[in-house]
Every structure is written in structure tokens, then in C-alpha cells.
């Protein structure tokens, strides 16, 4: 047994290449320490290291762990037998195949990435919307004068869908000049929205001023537009809506108490029962 232990203690590690080596081969230098400064030279040096170790019989997993390279990269390099030519800067985009058409549509005033994406999909494009969005963003950065919906706004940030929906029904006195120019341009370019926006503004004013007498006429006009679904929902609960527009009472205080109870309940993280909730609600009152 002591003899066997001594043999294990002085055993050499066999080299996968076939000849035993009394010592472990030195680790290859990291890419950051290579003399070549440019990125292609660094990649070429790493590729040479991979191929040298592979030629000595090292398994790919050990090569990847030793050199700090992804195992899939090592496998691809070994299978290819040569360093693949790759340049992030030179790599084109599938959108470039439709660049002429997109630039033409851009000059015609179509600056919406989603619309342009749908159009080139009909022409054979199979990429994702975000690819077109990146392409349009680069074009917009190169032509800042045409970035906004209104040319005179310049670098004014385009509002979100929710913000735009609020702007078209808001009181003109509550929005600034840039937002008002956006609304005016939207109404000019989208003639079909004019009637819908006017009805939406009328409904908002009717609710704020509690003008129940205008409800029937508004419903009749709305049923002929894109607001027909909304109008049908109001008609199904017409008595309650009419009362809300004519009576001075509101459910606001009740909703506020419900929200307060929910807040207290959430702070207890579900670890207490109704007795503690009741006590906290009454004490807070």
C-alpha cells in the first residue's frame, strides 16, 4: 500500500496527445495580453490558440474553460478550420434590401415605423418590427428636421398613445403650444378622426358640466361613428348614467374609503384577520 501511495503521489498526467508530460503545460496568455492591438489580431491569436490545443488532443470543454471562450465558439472554430470573417460594422441589415422604397415613403411623409413595417412585409420582408424601428430611428437621427409630427417642433418628443388620446380631447387652455400644434396637425392628416374627436370632447364637457339633457343627442350621433361600442355600453346602463349627469351626489367618497381599506389590508401582508383590520380601520378614522 505505501508503494502504491507513492506511485499515486509521483504519477504523471498523461497528455491526450499520447506522450506523458511530467508537468502541466503553461496556460495560454489571455487575449488582453497579446501583442496585437487591433480586434481582428486578438481574435486571430485566440483562434490560433484554440487550434493548437485542439491539435494536441485537448477536449473542447477544457479549451473553452482554459481560454475563457464560449464552448459554442470553440466548436464553431474547430469545425470551420479557419477564423470566420465577421465584422459588426460591416454587417448589413435585411431592411437595407427595401431601403430605396423606405426612403421614398419617408420623403412622402410616412414616418411611422409600424406602418412602414407592414408595407415592406407585403413586399417580402420577414423581419421583426423592432428591426424597422431601429432603421427608422437612424434615419430620423440623420434628418432631425423631419422627426416630429409637426415640422416646426424640431426635437419635440412624440407623445405616447395614451397621451395623444388625452391631448385630442383636452381643453386647449390646459396644453402648451407645441402640443396644440400636434393636435392640429393630427386633425389635418386624419380627417376621419375629426368627428370622433369632436364627440369625445363633447362627452367630456357633458360629464364635467353635468349636462344630462345632451345625452340622448350625443348617443344618436355616436352610434354612427367608431364610438358606437362605447355608446351601446352607455345605453345599457342609461338610467345610472343619466342620474350621474343630473344628481349632485358622487361615489367618490365611497371609492376613497374602499381604497383606504385595501391599503391597510395590504400593509398587513395577509397575516392578520378581520378583527385587526377592523381595529386599524376604526383607529385610522
Amino acid at each position: 500500500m505505501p508503494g502504491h501511495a507513492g506511485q499515486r503521489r509521483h504519477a504523471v498526467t498523461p497528455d491526450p496527445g499520447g506522450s506523458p508530460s511530467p508537468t502541466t503545460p503553461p496556460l495560454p496568455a489571455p487575449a488582453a495580453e497579446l501583442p496585437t492591438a487591433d480586434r481582428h489580431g486578438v481574435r486571430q491569436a485566440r483562434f490560433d490558440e484554440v487550434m493548437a490545443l485542439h491539435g494536441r488532443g485537448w477536449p473542447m470543454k477544457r479549451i473553452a474553460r482554459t481560454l475563457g471562450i464560449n464552448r459554442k465558439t470553440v466548436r464553431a472554430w474547430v469545425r470551420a478550420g479557419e477564423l470566420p470573417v465577421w465584422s459588426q460594422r460591416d454587417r448589413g441589415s435585411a431592411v437595407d434590401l427595401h431601403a430605396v422604397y423606405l426612403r421614398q415613403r419617408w420623403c412622402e411623409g410616412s414616418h411611422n415605423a409600424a406602418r412602414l413595417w407592414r408595407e415592406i412585409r407585403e413586399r417580402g420582408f420577414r423581419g421583426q418590427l423592432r428591426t424597422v424601428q431601429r432603421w427608422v430611428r437612424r434615419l430620423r437621427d440623420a434628418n432631425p428636421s423631419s422627426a416630429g409630427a409637426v415640422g416646426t417642433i424640431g426635437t419635440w418628443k412624440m407623445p405616447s398613445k395614451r397621451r395623444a388620446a388625452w391631448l385630442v380631447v383636452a381643453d386647449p387652455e390646459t396644453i402648451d403650444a407645441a402640443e396644440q400644434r400636434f393636435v392640429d396637425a393630427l386633425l389635418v392628416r386624419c380627417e376621419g378622426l375629426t368627428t370622433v374627436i369632436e364627440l369625445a370632447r363633447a362627452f367630456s364637457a357633458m360629464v364635467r358640466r353635468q349636462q344630462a339633457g345632451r345625452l340622448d343627442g350625443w348617443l344618436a350621433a355616436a352610434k354612427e361613428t367608431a364610438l358606437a361600442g362605447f355608446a351601446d355600453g352607455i345605453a345599457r346602463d342609461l338610467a345610472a348614467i343619466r342620474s350621474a349627469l343630473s344628481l349632485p351626489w358622487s361615489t367618490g367618497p365611497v371609492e376613497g374609503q374602499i381604497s383606504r381599506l385595501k391599503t391597510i389590508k395590504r400593509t398587513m401582508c395577509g397575516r392578520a384577520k378581520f378583527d385587526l383590520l377592523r381595529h386599524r380601520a376604526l383607529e385610522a378614522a
Side-chain angles (χ1 to χ4, degrees), residues 181-277:
R181 288 198 297 272
F182 167 76
V183 174
D184 295 340
L186 185 64
L187 293 178
V188 171
R189 296 191 180 191
C190 306
E191 298 179 359
L193 288 177
T194 304
T195 304
V196 176
I197 291 174
E198 290 177 353
L199 286 172
R201 290 175 175 175
F203 183 82
S204 177
M206 181 171 55
V207 172
R208 290 198 308 268
R209 300 168 187 171
Q210 290 190 312
Q211 298 172 335
R214 299 177 55 187
L215 181 59
D216 293 334
W218 186 91
L219 289 174
K223 288 182 179 180
E224 304 298 328
T225 67
L227 295 174
F230 179 68
D232 291 340
I234 293 179
R236 287 194 295 268
D237 204 8
L238 186 59
I241 301 298
R242 198 183 301 278
S243 297
L245 295 178
S246 57
L247 299 177
W249 300 296
S250 170
T251 59
V254 177
E255 297 295 337
Q257 293 295 334
I258 293 175
S259 298
R260 188 174 68 88
L261 286 174
K262 288 182 178 179
T263 301
I264 296 175
K265 186 173 182 292
R266 290 191 183 105
T267 59
M268 298 191 303
C269 301
R271 298 180 181 178
K273 296 183 179 180
F274 177 75
D275 294 340
L276 179 57
L277 176 61

Side-chain angles (χ1 to χ4, degrees), residues 44-284:
Q44 183 65 51
R46 301 302 294 274
F47 173 79
D48 294 340
E49 293 174 341
V50 169
M51 297 306 295
L53 295 177
H54 177 69
R56 295 172 58 183
W58 283 36
M60 296 184 187
K61 184 176 181 180
R62 183 182 177 189
I63 296 174
R65 184 173 60 250
T66 302
L67 300 182
I69 304 176
N70 187 280
R71 195 190 312 176
K72 293 181 179 179
T73 303
V74 174
R75 185 183 300 113
W77 286 358
V78 170
R79 289 179 178 176
E82 59 182 1
L83 183 64
V85 178
W86 176 85
S87 174
Q88 178 73 25
R89 188 169 300 173
D90 296 336
R91 186 174 61 181
S93 170
V95 187
D96 294 337
L97 299 176
H98 306 272
V100 176
Y101 175 80
L102 290 173
R103 291 184 183 277
Q104 177 184 350
R105 295 288 292 122
W106 182 273
C107 294
E108 293 173 355
S110 181
H111 301 165
N112 185 280
R115 180 184 301 171
L116 294 174
W117 173 67
R118 289 193 294 268
E119 291 179 7
I120 63 175
R121 275 183 63 87
E122 296 177 357
R123 300 170 62 91
F125 180 69
R126 293 293 178 265
Q128 299 294 324
L129 171 60
R130 59 177 176 269
T131 306
V132 180
Q133 289 175 333
R134 287 194 295 266
W135 195 93
V136 169
R137 189 179 302 117
R138 291 196 298 268
L139 188 60
R140 184 178 290 117
D141 293 340
N143 301 273
S145 60
S146 61
V150 185
T152 58
I153 295 179
T155 58
W156 181 69
K157 184 179 180 181
M158 184 69 67
S160 63
K161 294 180 181 179
R162 180 174 297 181
R163 177 69 177 176
W166 180 84
L167 288 176
V168 296
V169 299
D171 189 342
E173 298 180 357
T174 62
I175 60 179
D176 59 31
E179 292 173 331
Q180 184 59 50
R181 288 198 297 272
F182 167 76
V183 174
D184 295 340
L186 185 64
L187 293 178
V188 171
R189 296 191 180 191
C190 306
E191 298 179 359
L193 288 177
T194 304
T195 304
V196 176
I197 291 174
E198 290 177 353
L199 286 172
R201 290 175 175 175
F203 183 82
S204 177
M206 181 171 55
V207 172
R208 290 198 308 268
R209 300 168 187 171
Q210 290 190 312
Q211 298 172 335
R214 299 177 55 187
L215 181 59
D216 293 334
W218 186 91
L219 289 174
K223 288 182 179 180
E224 304 298 328
T225 67
L227 295 174
F230 179 68
D232 291 340
I234 293 179
R236 287 194 295 268
D237 204 8
L238 186 59
I241 301 298
R242 198 183 301 278
S243 297
L245 295 178
S246 57
L247 299 177
W249 300 296
S250 170
T251 59
V254 177
E255 297 295 337
Q257 293 295 334
I258 293 175
S259 298
R260 188 174 68 88
L261 286 174
K262 288 182 178 179
T263 301
I264 296 175
K265 186 173 182 292
R266 290 191 183 105
T267 59
M268 298 191 303
C269 301
R271 298 180 181 178
K273 296 183 179 180
F274 177 75
D275 294 340
L276 179 57
L277 176 61
R278 179 177 180 276
H279 176 74
R280 292 191 62 185
L282 293 177
E283 289 294 328

